[in-house]
Amino acid sequence: MKIIPCPSSPLLARRISETTGTEIADVTFKRFPDGELYVRVEGCREGVIVGSITTNDDLIAIAFLLDALDDARIVVPYMGYARQDRVFKEGEAVSIRVVANILERKAREIVTVNIHSKQAASHFRKLKDLDAMPVIGKHFSDRDVLMISPDKGSVERVKVAASHANCDWDYLEKTRIDEATVEIAPKNLDVEGRDVVIVDDIISTGGTVIEAAKKLYELGAKSVSATCVHAVLAGNAALRLFNAGIRDIIATDTIECAFSKISVAGIIGEAL
Ligand code: R5P
């Protein structure tokens, strides 16, 4: 059994190989002149494929690797397409169901980290969904911060992170004042003079964090940073976040980028 790294997760694959003491396989990814992808795994027929799905090519690479192997488990640290987890408008494809069918056709087990929703997870039969909030919390354990969830729906996540950081937590609540006015404010705690960390599962366009940060600064927060599991950071989201006064972006390595300051290799290694 070897670790089979995909182009989307080379560093995390290496870290998982180190924490589990599992060798990395010899894999070739090539592109033909017409753009088609080619993969080859040499010297092993069973392995653990490690690759996040942030692009269509990432999904194709995993599908090809599954075909090349006789027995495989897949680690998909960031499961893309999970936000289209149901039919919102008549005629739509349920994208994550298609992804689940492709992955589960041949894989023995699929391991992911904080999949977008329970509904997305429900399309899989062999999925193990890990929670990165404890490792995110531990990262902040030596700092005096206040963790805030940008909405009530994410409260369970911030609670777990804060319990491992041993810090205060709260969530932003929307209160309708009248037909035209909505007030957003932390439910219980005063943020004045505090170093606040907004905790979310995904930062994509950055819109959610930017709105929350605006409010927190208005209420007197000393600094506002953002932490998340999956730094999708679509387009120029990072720039927009910094322009909005976000002091730092701290993400895990489910999507490898400059903000991957926390590793999920340990929790994945334990789950394998
Ligand atoms: C929502 O369900 C998620 O928890 C995130 O808050 C959301 O995906 C963030 O997206 P964006 O960065 O585009 O506001």
Side-chain angles (χ1 to χ4, degrees):
M1 179 74 75
K2 289 190 179 175
I3 299 284
I4 305 185
C6 293
S8 57
S9 301
L11 183 58
L12 181 54
R14 184 148 297 276
R15 288 173 173 158
I16 294 170
S17 131
E18 280 163 11
T19 66
T20 59
T22 314
E23 228 183 295
I24 300 254
D26 192 0
V27 195
T28 306
F29 294 93
K30 248 184 8 192
R31 212 171 264 290
F32 289 108
D34 60 2
E36 288 184 355
L37 195 67
Y38 164 98
V39 307
R40 181 178 179 209
V41 186
E42 282 176 78
C44 86
R45 298 268 68 82
E46 51 182 56
V48 181
I49 299 167
V50 179
S52 279
I53 297 174
T54 59
T55 66
N56 299 338
D57 275 358
D58 296 337
L59 178 61
I60 290 288
I62 296 175
F64 287 5
L65 287 169
L66 279 172
D67 192 70
L69 296 166
D70 296 331
D71 183 20
R73 284 192 284 168
I74 319 176
V75 175
V76 183
Y78 172 65
M79 186 69 76
Y81 284 115
R83 280 177 282 184
Q84 184 71 26
D85 59 6
R86 65 199 78 197
V87 173
F88 296 97
K89 288 187 198 146
E90 185 258 318
E92 285 178 345
V94 180
S95 313
I96 193 63
R97 184 168 61 201
V98 178
V99 172
N101 286 340
I102 293 170
L103 301 182
E104 292 201 329
R105 194 179 65 81
K106 235 187 131 191
R108 189 147 50 91
E109 182 186 45
I110 296 151
V111 176
T112 193
V113 183
N114 293 94
I115 193 165
H116 174 66
S117 63
K118 285 200 175 104
Q119 175 67 17
S122 75
H123 295 291
F124 292 81
R125 285 171 296 116
K126 310 173 191 172
L127 188 74
K128 206 186 259 183
D129 184 25
L130 308 177
D131 185 12
M133 284 299 146
V135 279
I136 289 181
K138 277 180 208 139
H139 179 84
F140 291 93
S141 60
D142 58 351
R143 303 181 208 180
D144 179 23
V145 295
L146 165 61
M147 289 189 157
I148 294 265
S149 161
D151 52 52
K152 203 173 174 184
S154 304
V155 132
E156 288 312 314
R157 274 195 287 270
V158 77
K159 253 194 225 176
V160 175
S163 75
H164 286 81
N166 198 20
C167 71
D168 296 333
W169 65 271
D170 201 356
Y171 63 92
L172 294 181
E173 192 175 57
K174 276 187 194 167
T175 312
R176 182 157 291 284
I177 307 298
D178 57 41
E179 245 177 51
T181 329
V182 171
E183 201 176 82
I184 307 170
K187 171 83 174 137
N188 301 303
L189 298 178
D190 189 359
V191 298
E192 195 168 351
R194 303 287 309 263
D195 290 311
V196 178
V197 180
I198 299 168
V199 181
D200 213 340
D201 58 342
I202 301 176
I203 301 178
S204 181
T205 63
T208 304
V209 167
I210 289 168
E211 277 310 304
K214 234 190 256 168
K215 214 1 109 188
L216 293 164
Y217 277 124
E218 270 172 34
L219 293 168
K222 185 162 104 194
S223 74
V224 181
S225 300
T227 190
C228 66
V229 183
H230 311 297
V232 173
L233 298 175
N236 59 356
L239 185 62
R240 293 179 57 237
L241 288 162
F242 287 132
N243 286 346
I246 293 297
R247 179 171 287 183
D248 198 3
I249 303 165
I250 302 115
T252 77
D253 50 2
T254 59
I255 296 175
E256 295 182 17
C257 66
F259 306 108
S260 306
K261 296 165 189 164
I262 302 168
S263 184
V264 291
I267 58 168
I268 291 172
E270 279 166 25
L272 289 174

